[in-house]
Amino acid sequence: MMMELNDYQYENATATLMFSHEEIQERVETLAHEIDAYYEAQGIEEIVLIGVLKGAFVFLADLVRHLKTNVVMDFIQVQSYEGTESTGNVQFLQDVRCDVKGKNLLFVEDIVDTGYTLQEVRTNFQHRGAGDFKLVAMFDKAERRLVDLQADFVGFEIPDKFVIGYGLDFDEKYRQLPFVAELKLK
Ligand code: XMP
Ligand code: MG
């Protein structure tokens, strides 16, 4: 079989490069400026950044190092118990420690797909009296959306492909890749 230049071979899979490390870094920096500009225009000086584990940890770490807005950080871990598709049945495995009442929340997600996960999270935090709910997602599979949920800030919109790297996993593997690639099982 012909090896493409941008293909990476793994034990059970081939990964085709979608975004290089450099492209990602450049976009994340711009995204941070967009976020700063938004909060500055709103006159908001401090936000609570809530990372959605596990996938968002790499993106969040890069993003915060470019943000000028004052942030405090917290994390949640959620799981939509299902087979391979999201079901909207979202379970909290880890919750925030801070009081979110009246706070300006910015959720940080690796990827939004059907939107079920973040829709459930949004409803949950609205019930707790969050002041403002915003969402930044590094990747957005907009064409896959099944519910009325939009990310306020998006790194890259991508087609309906399964991607790995930059925090995104297949079966918990490949999160450490510094680039993002489409996964094709062998
Ligand atoms: P929903 O459908 O609720 O799902 O918006 C969001 C979650 O689904 C996972 N997801 C992916 N994970 N590569 C991954 O590694 C992908 O291409 C992908 N698409 C969706 C992810 O956990 C996200 O938080
Ligand atoms: Mg995952």
Side-chain angles (χ1 to χ4, degrees), residues 11-57:
E11 199 181 343
N12 301 312
T14 301
T16 303
L17 186 70
M18 201 181 268
F19 298 101
S20 69
H21 176 64
E22 291 72 22
E23 282 174 284
I24 292 171
Q25 292 305 314
E26 201 173 304
R27 184 68 190 112
V28 170
E29 187 170 351
T30 311
L31 209 45
H33 298 328
E34 290 170 21
I35 293 168
D36 281 335
Y38 167 77
Y39 285 110
E40 197 184 340
Q42 299 293 310
I44 293 169
E45 284 171 6
E46 187 180 287
I47 60 173
V48 182
L49 211 80
I50 302 179
V52 184
L53 296 171
K54 299 174 188 171
F57 80 104

Side-chain angles (χ1 to χ4, degrees), residues 84-138:
T84 51
E85 298 281 307
S86 274
T87 57
N89 226 345
V90 175
Q91 192 187 14
F92 275 72
L93 302 181
Q94 185 187 317
D95 202 357
V96 292
R97 303 281 177 90
C98 68
D99 181 10
V100 298
K101 212 172 167 75
K103 298 279 173 63
N104 296 294
L105 310 183
L106 175 61
F107 283 80
V108 182
E109 223 340 1
D110 50 2
I111 189 164
V112 184
D113 186 3
T114 63
Y116 275 128
T117 307
L118 263 297
Q119 188 197 45
E120 288 284 312
V121 169
R122 179 175 61 189
T123 305
N124 184 294
F125 277 84
Q126 279 168 346
H127 285 149
R128 300 189 213 181
D132 182 40
F133 181 102
K134 289 282 177 290
L135 169 63
V136 54
M138 188 59 209

Side-chain angles (χ1 to χ4, degrees), residues 135-155:
L135 169 63
V136 54
M138 188 59 209
F139 301 101
D140 184 4
K141 292 184 185 173
E143 69 184 76
R144 289 260 307 161
R145 201 73 86 255
L146 294 176
V147 293
D148 182 19
L149 179 118
Q150 269 163 27
D152 300 280
F153 308 96
V154 172

